[in-house]
Amino acid sequence: MASFGWKRKIGEKVSKATSQQFEAEAADDKDLGGDDDATWVLAAKRRKEVLLEDCVRKSKELKDEGANLAENRRYREALVKWDEALQLTPEDATLYEMKSQVLMSLHEMFPAVHAAEMAVQRNPRSWDAWQTLGRAQLGLGEIALAIRSFQVSLHIFPMNPEVWKEDLSWARKLQEQQKATKTESVQALAKELVQESIPDYDFESDEIVAVCAAIAEKEKALSAAKTMVIVSASGTVETVTEQDNCPATPDETLFIRAR
């Protein structure tokens, strides 16, 4: 009689070494896949950094080219270069500040103020951007705003003699002249109003008395004799003179009376 034997599970005959090798290969494949993901992320990050570096480098080249053109008074060409640079580095406050200076040289004050404001927005700690903004505002006649911009510039860089002695001093002088001019204008207007008084007429002169007498006689004649237009029911139109002491009374056929 054959003895009963336990049936082994499928795969039980696989050797331990083979199993360990399989597990090691699976782990290597998993690590390899993870490395690929990390490599792709690092490559994308590096590509982005290289692109930014290229943009910064190209922007600097365009900025320098524009500066050379501006020094040679080729202002329009300089603006073109700086606009191209701003396409690459739109947060560069220096480019906007340089644009503002060139626009002031071209007497384009509104764009100059706008460019200086953009520079201040991107770098509020830039004393030269505030100085340029003050000069552009001064070119527009905004003296009070220019004084404030110069004061901010001095707050950031108190030891700047150019802003102290030239910009702020000149702006305050213009402000004093503006106040003096307004005061003179008000005084001149008040003087003109005083001089334009009513003429002193002589109401007791013979001419005035004669005119008043004539007007009184005319009013007396009008009040003595009054006329009215009578329209009867039959359509007859009649003008009747009415005396104060003997008024005319229309008949019973009165339809419309117009004075």
Side-chain angles (χ1 to χ4, degrees), residues 3 11 38 40 59 65 91 108 116 123 137 139 197 209 222 236 242:
S3 60
W40 182 85
S59 176
E65 292 176 8
E91 298 301 320
E108 298 182 9
N123 187 8
Q137 291 168 337
S197 58
V209 172
L222 292 175
T236 304
E242 179 182 359

Side-chain angles (χ1 to χ4, degrees), residues 48 52 56 61 74 85 98 106 118 140 154 176 186 188-189 231 241 257:
K48 184 177 180 180
L52 290 175
V56 172
E61 292 177 357
R74 298 165 64 179
M98 296 168 70
L106 294 172
M118 297 291 286
L140 279 181
L154 285 172
E176 292 175 358
V186 171
L189 180 60
V231 181
T241 302
R257 185 174 68 176

Side-chain angles (χ1 to χ4, degrees), residues 6 15 24 35 59 96 102-103 130 141 161 184 213 236:
W6 180 257
S15 64
D35 291 342
S59 176
Y96 285 105
V102 167
L103 288 168
W130 283 103
E184 292 176 358
T236 304

